[in-house]
Structure formats: structure tokens, C-alpha cells
Amino acid sequence: MSSRGYVLYFKGNTLIHKFDPRTKIILLVFYVLLALIYSDPIYLGAVLLSAIIIWIYSRIPIKEVSKIYRYVYATLALLILIQGLSYSDPKATTILRVIPENPLLGNVGALTVEGLIYGIAISERILILMLIGPLVIYTTPLDRLILGLIKFKMPYTLAFIMSTSLNLLPSVQIEIENIQEAQTARAFTKIETGSFIERMKAYIPLMVPLVVGMVRNSTLLSLAMASRAFGVSTKRTFYHEISLKMRDKIAIAIIAGVFIILAYARFVYGMGGFNFTAVHFDLSFLPF
Amino acid sequence: MSMTKEEGSSIVTIRDASFKYFSGKKAALKKINLDIKAGEFVAIMGPTGAGKSTLCLLLNGSIPHLIKGTLVGDIQVSSLKTREHQIQELARKVGMVFQNPNLQLFCIDVESELAFGPENLAVDRDEIHRRVKEILHLLRLEGLEKRSPTALSGGQKQAVAIGAALTMNPEILVLDEPTSNLDPLGSQKVFEILRILKSQKNLTILMVSHKSEEIAEFADRVVIVDNGKIVLEGRPSDILGKEIIEEKVYIRPPQVSELIYKLRKKGYEFSKIPTTLEEAYILIKSYLEQHGIKSKSGPKLNLKQKKSTTNKRRDIEPIIKVRDLWHQYKGGVVALRNINLDIYPGEFVAIVGQNGSGKTTLVKHFNGLLKPTKGFVIVNGLDTRPMHVSELSKYVGYIYQNPDDQLFAESVEDEIAFGPRNLGWDEEEVRKSVEEVIKRLHLEHLRKDHPLSLGLGDRHRVAVASVLAMKPDVVILDEPTTGQDFRGSREIVDLINGLQKEGKTVIMITHDMFLVADYAERVIVLSKGQILLDGTPAEIFSRPDILEQTYLSPPQITKLAQKLGDFGFPNNIITIDEFCEIFEEIVRGGN
């Protein structure tokens, strides 16, 4: 068929591809923790940069995934703006007052340097998570990833449900296309105007067949799964084997070492934290 | 016929089993009694809704463990009472293969799919590897280990589904219409596997199928189910060759059986009714030889020229004009290569070819769902390129394969009125048109019912009605007979045939060569995005060499005539009546 559906794994031969899924899950956790402990946009920027470098190194076809990130940039820009306008500390350095000062909103409505920096930091955190999560998924076959999660004591049933629903995404997409085509052939056109209720009503011809079909399919799927002994016992063997190689052990040791050093520096010496109230911005060079 | 009932030798024993679905109005199965011996190949046949699938679900314990309802009676499978053992336990004994290949494959690749069952049974890892390897080899799936099931062809998917059942080492394999959703190539793959299994594995096989020709080849026993009961049971030669023709059970008998049956009725004496092509060939050959007719390589007889209006119609302007049409999908796949085609008003055109040959891509250009990437399509004098589907739907009605992709309304009436209302007709006009199609499709008694609560046959009729209510000049049917039994598919095509008589143009995509032979005036064979052949069914089927390239095969009756060519049978016979006519002529000539 014309549509490839969602691609979740890109073959490759880089070190990232070769790592055991557990190593990659640890890498993911490492990045999540860094994104959480740092609040200084410069530190976060460095973390983000390292994530981008790994991304480029693992040679994931940027074209394939860029469509997913299409809306992200606009959302982040909006986020920065909103944060910039809603920093409530009255001591903050104001660049421009958008809404006149009033008792109800307090300092909200003034575009502040602190607000913008805070917005940038949040955006960087989101970007780090959005880069590193897919990186693990794109470089690991789904079943190995599940196996990795199971080794970390995630219940098999839960892991299986996750992987199956991801696997079935393409077929749901095809189903939606079929329904859309069938209704368009009956002169159906989606209403883009009118009230919210009217627009929602216009989706009924698409939603009803989709939901009914999904319920019917899930019944058939559960029959097929049960007849292949799914859920027979808690004991289960695994066809694929994953093992921690020397490179995994070295990588995990490095990640752990780096994390201990960075966390120590962060909490003992305060490196990477950002104390907004302590910093004063001199904006006298601005023309207004 | 009398069956010797030795409890000890039966691997499946069903005693007085009745079942009513929780939501069902009446019992789906009524007092079923069935014994299956180890190693036997049993075929289950019967109309849609007869209870065939329910019977399958009894065997692996899906009923009563997973599906709610009331079960009476006893079912014993390989000395386990299904009531007392969970499905997962019974899965060691009974492997299941379902109709829809997409809904039984859910793993990331073929290998994991095959390993899934034994993994769940906690089979030793090395043993799983051994079994996966063995099954890949047995089913000729080597090289596909790492492929995602979604990227396979229909036949390959079904082969993987069969393999996934076999890796659990079952004693019994149950297949519920395994070829109904497949194209001819896919069906061939499945039947090839069944042939391997029958010869190599000591398996008991139970298969539900509508395909009598194949059943005649494989089955040791045929069981016919109708209305929840076993109505006939016996050897294929008895059941397919005689009883189903006489008993008027709605199952299509093999064409050769029907032929000899008809000839007997006309007074020709044949010792038996054959069920396979080979049998029929020997039977007719020896009949002709006994009556002094020698096989000769002389001139063949001609069929009386069939009444065809096609030539006459060609004087007028075509309703669909396709010029230098190319279509390339976004992913880069070129689906159509330089198609040139004229379809005239009032024609009945069948479009055939393998999945991926471009059939659906071509017809989607007729209603504007797809636009040419090169060339153009003119419908009713209008270039489709700037037009939206909803505008073109006034002229071209597209009836989809699966009615469930479009049914959504609260009542059958509303469902049918949806299209006309979208076209902006006034309510008076809408009502008139809805009334008309309700009457013509015999939906009067269902008009207030919820479309989704109807049976498959009725759902299909409602879907057809909802398109016809828009009064299109051209009606496109995409695989109208998939999932339909003999009666259901005939009903639908009879209806479409009626439309054609009223002057509508009918375009039908199908894999069913019997339908093509009986109804179409013109056949277009597509292969790899190009038109391979374009002609009358008789012309198309008389070219088995070219058809073979695209894995299509002519109806059995045509093959029989072609085999008997030396006796003067022309190779363009496509119906049983035509065969009878020539046969009589040959016999008269010989005497």
C-alpha cells in the first residue's frame, strides 16, 4: 500500500544500535534526571546539545522524523512567550509591559527577562526528553525494548500491551483512511465552520465506524491471542536473548560515574542551578 | 450414510452441543453431534451465519471460556473436556487460524510471531528455535524471518498464521475460512501449505471453506451446517457430487459435478457424478469414446455467437475516458503505468488481477479519490483533476468491500439518506430516492433497524442501497463477494445486473472467476500497473497461458473444455450451459 504507517525502528549499525536495551534505558533515565536537576538554561543547553550529537551520530533519517517535530517548535515558542509574560515576581526585570499593571494580575502581563529565561529552560527540558525518548525507540527493535523493560521487572502483560498497541498503530491508520474514503464517496465533506457541537457532529460518520470496528477487532484479537496460549502461566520463555556485553558494562559505568559527579557538583556546589532573585539584569542599554 | 462410532479412535467428540450467544436472539448451534478421527481432514461448509465459526470456537474452548453465552452438551478434544480446561491449556492441542490475516498477527516480525505460542507455553528456548526453523522451512517462509507481518502479502500472512499455530505442536488444526480474504495467489499459497501438511504431518485438520473445488481435492469428509445444525455429512464425492445439488443447500457445487448432473438430467448416462476436474475429464472422455467419437485434432466447434451489445455501444461517447494515465504514490511506488481505456455507458466491466496489480488504484481515479500523476481521466465529459470526490459522487457510486467502513446511522433509512442529503437534494427528493432503493433491495422490514445490528448480508445490502440512493450513472463494486456465501454474492450481483439492464455502467473488481464468467461482458486484466488483456470473458479465459502470468485461472468448466479440446470442444466455453450445448452437438455428430 501507499502508506507506510508509523515507523518505529530504523535499522543501523552504530554503537547506539548495538547497545543492550537496558543500557539505552539507563541512558534515557540519565538524561531525564539531568533535565530535572538543572535549571540553568546554559547547562540545559549543553545537555540538549549532547543529546543532539548522539542523535546525529546514530544516523536516524532526520527527514522521516522531522514531521513529528513540526508542531513542537511552534508550541515551544508559544510556551516561552507565555512564561515571559506571566512571571509573577514583582522584582523581575521588565522589558515591556503588555497589560497595564493592575491589582488583579499583579506583575503578570509584563514581559520579563526572568520569565523568558524560565520559558527557555522549560523548553530545553522538553526538547531533551523529546529527543532522547524517541532516540531509544528508533534505535531498538520494539520486542528487545520490551525485553529490556521486563528485565527491569516490568510485568510481561503490561509490556506486551504496550508493544502490541504500538504494533497495531499502522492498521488503525489504514482503517481511518478506508473509512474516510468510503464516506467521501458518499459525498461527505467535513464541516470546517460552525459551532463546536456542529463540527463534532460532523465527525460522527467517521467516528462510529472506527469505534465499532476497533471494538470488533479487539475481540477477534483477544481470541487469536488466547488461542496462542497468551496468559497461560506466569512462567514464560523468551525467544530472543539479550545480554550485557563489555561495551554495555563500560557505558553503564561511564553514565553512572558522570551522573555522580554532575549531581555532586549540582547539589554541593550549586552548579547548573539558576537563582532568579539573585541575578539583576541591567536593561538601561535598551532604547525604552 | 452410517458412521462407525468408536469412541476410542476419535480425537474430537462433540455430543449434543447447543450454544446461544449472550446477545443472540436464537441458538447459534443446535444439538450438534460430531466425531473426528485422528488424522482426518474434515471440511465444514454452509451459508453465512449457519454456525460454522461458532463450531470452530467450541473446539479450542473459546466457547465457553472467552465468549459469553449458554453452552449445553459435551465437547472433548484429545481426551480433554473443553469445559474443564482453559483455552491456553487447550492451545497445546488445538491450533487456530482465523479468516482475517491482519487480526491474528500482532508481533514485530515473522520470527517472533512463530515463537509467541511456545514462549507462552514456557517451552525451552533451544526447542523454540528448532521449531521456528523447522516451520519456516516447511512453509517456505525462509528469508522472511525479520520482516514485519504487516509488510507481507495476504498469502504470506496467512502462512505465518498457520505456522504460528504449528509451532505449538498441536494435534488438531482448525482453519476458519483461511482463504476468504485472499487473492488467487494467496489462496494458492494456503492450499499448497495444506497439501504439505496433509502429506507430511500427522495432523487432524478441520477447515471451514466455501471453495468446493478445493474441498473436493483435500477433504476426507464434508460436513454441511445450516441454521445451527449439521444437515449433511459424508464423503466429498457423495455430498458435493450429489446431495447438495439435490438438497438445494445454498452451496455452490463444483462445476464439473453440476455439469454431469445436468447432462444426466438430459438423459445421458454417466456412472457417477465426479467432483474433481481429473475425474470429470476421464468420465467424459470414456463416454465419448464409448459412443464412437474419436479424439481428433480437427477443427473445433463454434459456440453460437453470444448476444453482445458491446459493439453497438461503442458508437457513442464513452462515459469514462482514461488517457496515458500514470499514478505514483507518495512513497514512490508506481501503481499505474500508461493506462488507456474507454468504458461505454451501460457496460458491465470486470477488473481482475492480483493484489498490487493496480485495480483499486485505477478505479479510485474514476470517482476522484486519486488524481493522475500523469495523463487524465474524463468522467461524463468532465476532467477529474480539478474536481472533488463529493462532486464526482453524483456520477460515480463506489461500493466498498467492507460495509462496516461506512455504516454509522441510527436507522437503515437515515443511513441510506446520508448520501443524497450530502448532495444537497431537497427532502422530498431524498425521501423518494430512499423509498425506491428500500423497495428494490427488499429492506422494507428493516427500515427502522440499526444498520450495525444487522447480519453481514443485510449490512452489505444497506451499504449498496446507500450508494444507489445517490443515483449514480456508474457503479463501482470493490470485491462485492468477499465474506459472502454463495447465496449472498449471487443476490448482490443479480441486483447489480438489474442496474445494468436499466442502463447504468457497472465496474466490478473481483477475484471470483465464476462471477466474471456468469455476469461480466468485458474483462480487463491488470498486471503490474498495466492492462494485460481486455476482452470478453470467453476471449480472456481462452488464453490460459497469459492468465497464468498473473496467477489467475479460468473457471473449472473452461479448463475441462480445454482439456477435451481434441474432441472438438472450443477453448472459450465459460458456462455449464455452453458446455452442455457443445457436448450435445458432438454426441449428435458422432452418432
Side-chain angles (χ1 to χ4, degrees), chain B residues 40-66:
Chain B
E40 210 180 359
F41 192 128
V42 176
I44 311 278
M45 301 182 82
T48 307
K52 307 185 297 295
S53 297
T54 312
L55 186 57
C56 291
L57 295 174
L58 276 186
L59 293 178
N60 82 328
S62 293
I63 293 176
H65 298 299
L66 211 71

Side-chain angles (χ1 to χ4, degrees), chain B residues 219-432:
Chain B
D220 302 314
R221 183 148 56 111
V222 178
V223 173
I224 301 208
V225 182
D226 191 11
N227 209 2
K229 288 182 195 146
I230 293 179
V231 289
L232 279 173
E233 191 180 345
R235 286 203 312 262
S237 53
D238 293 323
I239 300 289
L240 298 174
K242 204 167 90 215
E243 303 224 34
I244 60 171
I245 306 176
E246 282 165 3
E247 299 267 330
K248 298 264 180 291
V249 191
Y250 282 99
I251 288 167
R252 190 181 53 73
Q255 279 192 314
V256 291
S257 313
E258 206 180 330
L259 170 75
I260 301 297
Y261 184 80
K262 277 195 172 165
L263 287 175
R264 267 184 168 179
K265 274 264 165 88
K266 285 176 191 278
Y268 298 97
E269 273 172 36
F270 287 98
S271 55
K272 61 167 186 173
I273 290 182
T275 51
T276 64
L277 182 62
E278 196 53 35
E279 272 182 306
Y281 169 67
I282 293 166
L283 203 64
I284 291 183
K285 188 168 172 255
S286 62
Y287 182 96
L288 292 174
E289 280 165 356
Q290 275 166 26
H291 289 74
I293 296 150
K294 297 228 163 50
S295 130
K296 55 182 188 298
S297 303
K300 290 178 183 174
L301 293 176
N302 284 321
L303 278 166
K304 285 184 200 113
Q305 200 52 47
K306 279 193 266 184
K307 282 172 277 168
S308 170
T309 43
T310 307
N311 293 335
K312 200 170 63 196
R313 287 202 190 101
R314 298 241 158 138
D315 304 337
I316 47 175
E317 183 68 12
I319 191 159
I320 295 174
K321 266 201 280 196
V322 180
R323 290 292 175 274
D324 310 322
L325 172 65
W326 289 71
H327 191 89
Q328 183 172 17
Y329 282 107
K330 271 187 195 141
V333 181
V334 180
L336 294 176
R337 297 162 193 276
N338 202 25
I339 302 276
N340 281 288
L341 181 66
D342 284 320
I343 292 174
Y344 294 89
E347 273 191 310
F348 193 137
V349 184
I351 299 184
V352 302
Q354 288 310 309
N355 289 351
S357 62
K359 304 184 302 284
T360 307
T361 309
L362 177 61
V363 297
K364 280 182 179 170
H365 280 85
F366 299 164
N367 78 335
L369 269 173
L370 292 176
K371 298 291 156 80
T373 45
K374 221 193 272 176
F376 59 89
V377 177
I378 306 280
V379 173
N380 235 1
L382 300 163
D383 191 331
T384 62
R385 280 173 296 185
M387 294 182 74
H388 192 255
V389 191
S390 49
E391 292 173 83
L392 280 162
S393 55
K394 277 178 247 178
Y395 314 110
V396 183
Y398 197 128
I399 299 167
Y400 276 79
Q401 184 179 352
N402 183 0
D404 299 331
D405 282 345
Q406 50 170 300
L407 300 182
F408 72 97
E410 302 274 327
S411 73
V412 168
E413 275 177 331
D414 281 346
E415 190 70 58
I416 299 173
F418 179 70
R421 280 187 188 135
N422 285 338
L423 289 178
W425 296 2
D426 61 56
E427 205 50 29
E428 180 70 20
E429 238 178 311
V430 172
R431 198 136 303 279
K432 238 181 85 190

